[in-house]
Amino acid sequence: MASRTLAVYQKDGTLRNLATAVLSCHPITTLPDDDRSFFKAAADTDYIVATRETIFHPQGGGQPSDTGSIKSSSPGSDIQFDVKSVRKLPKDRILHQGTFTSPAESSSGIFSEGQTIVQAIDDEKRNFHSRLHTAGHLLGLAVRQLAESSIPELGRVTEGKAQHTPGSAAVEYSGLIAGEHKKAIQDQANELVKQGLPVNVFWWDEKTTRSQCTAVPAEMAVPEEGVFRVVEVEGVGSYPCGGTHLPSTRDVGGIVVKKISRSKGVSRISYDITDAA
Ligand SMILES: [Zn+2]
């Protein structure tokens, strides 16, 4: 339905506004079933808008969707679209789901193809998601550092999925992590916060990604462009990752390990962030 959208949030995570243009705008009820299945919580009255570029991070990689608005920048037009959620579909299609606050019944109340618009994302929400997400990487790196220093048994676990949803953030490991290591892991992660290390983004080919990254998922899909986005905590470690991060580890604030649970051979480190370490 829509053409591919340039994922500007992956190039510059600091942007909160972006002027671009509409690729397509349709009632959600006209989406093919496969595409509609990405928007389970949507109402039939919602619309789907695709734009040439986007600063909205779609739900994925454990990070929730951004929310915000898309407003017409055409002279004399006050059309506004409230973005409730964003999904990335196959073939680099990024779709914004939401409602027009302008009357959608009139044809002038919705976007037309090629219309110039300005995107704005919810700044507070993005910052919080980026902090939670970066904290997840720091916990992963803290476990590795401890494995190489004071707690060698942590060298036997393998990093798995991560979830950066507010209130239920966690990093998972295959293998067992004893609950008694909770404080050591928390302290080590907060040490990385205090060091104020730069968080860098690189674009690497598959060979470099597999050989240089600290951990690579067992099944890593090769992007259509063949280039992987990699996030590095400078001097500590790197992961392939498509999410949004912070410029410095210090910006995380503080990390609290809530608990370490173990089930069916998988350990789960649940965590939260606080304003200061
Ligand atoms: Zn990441």
Side-chain angles (χ1 to χ4, degrees):
M1 180 167 263
S3 314
R4 60 175 49 192
T5 296
L6 185 68
V8 174
Y9 58 86
Q10 290 198 329
K11 310 279 183 190
D12 185 352
T14 65
L15 290 177
R16 296 296 181 263
N17 295 279
L18 180 75
T20 181
V22 171
L23 284 175
S24 65
C25 172
H26 301 283
I28 194 165
T29 49
T30 65
L31 280 188
D33 288 347
D34 282 358
D35 291 354
R36 175 72 197 259
S37 67
F38 283 82
F39 301 95
K40 293 202 169 61
D44 282 349
T45 48
D46 286 351
Y47 274 71
I48 297 292
V49 173
T51 53
R52 207 170 283 164
E53 305 152 291
T54 190
I55 51 170
F56 284 85
H57 180 276
Q59 179 181 304
Q63 184 173 332
S65 167
D66 278 323
T67 57
S69 67
I70 299 177
K71 291 179 188 177
S72 167
S73 58
S74 308
S77 168
D78 58 358
I79 302 173
Q80 176 169 334
F81 182 70
D82 287 344
V83 177
K84 295 195 277 195
S85 85
V86 184
R87 295 291 186 277
K88 186 170 183 186
L89 279 65
K91 297 183 181 164
D92 289 336
R93 293 176 302 151
I94 300 173
L95 303 182
H96 309 80
Q97 170 236 328
T99 51
F100 283 96
T101 52
S102 41
E105 308 83 54
S106 76
S107 57
S108 59
I110 66 169
F111 295 136
S112 50
E113 202 181 308
Q115 182 156 10
T116 54
I117 49 99
V118 175
Q119 299 180 334
I121 58 168
D122 183 324
D123 181 51
E124 208 172 304
K125 187 178 277 189
R126 162 63 75 80
N127 291 344
F128 195 73
H129 290 169
S130 299
R131 285 174 62 204
L132 261 186
H133 185 141
T134 306
H137 288 308
L138 296 185
L139 282 165
L141 293 167
V143 167
R144 283 183 176 266
Q145 288 187 320
L146 291 169
E148 288 162 13
S149 56
S150 53
I151 315 178
E153 69 181 73
L154 291 178
R156 293 199 293 268
V157 297
T158 309
E159 283 170 60
K161 285 186 298 184
Q163 184 69 42
H164 314 297
T165 309
S168 56
V171 286
E172 286 186 2
Y173 287 83
S174 60
L176 297 182
I177 299 179
E180 68 189 41
H181 300 316
K182 188 174 123 172
K183 186 170 185 309
I185 293 169
Q186 176 178 297
D187 288 350
Q188 189 64 28
N190 281 310
E191 180 57 32
L192 292 171
V193 172
K194 285 198 198 98
Q195 287 171 8
L197 302 167
V199 180
N200 305 313
V201 169
F202 299 116
W203 299 84
W204 287 345
D205 62 24
E206 184 172 5
K207 194 172 162 223
T208 311
T209 303
R210 288 194 184 277
S211 62
Q212 299 296 314
C213 280
T214 307
V216 172
E219 286 175 37
M220 184 172 69
V222 179
E224 283 164 50
E225 321 83 72
V227 180
F228 291 83
R229 184 172 184 269
V230 171
V231 58
E232 179 209 42
V233 176
E234 197 167 294
V236 184
S238 54
Y239 299 93
C241 184
T244 66
H245 309 96
L246 303 163
S248 163
T249 60
R250 187 175 287 119
D251 302 330
V252 168
I255 300 173
V256 178
V257 174
K258 295 199 291 191
K259 68 172 179 185
I260 301 175
S261 54
R262 290 160 298 279
S263 172
K264 295 173 185 164
V266 172
S267 300
R268 189 176 164 85
I269 303 177
S270 304
Y271 69 96
D272 215 332
I273 48 174
T274 59
D275 284 343

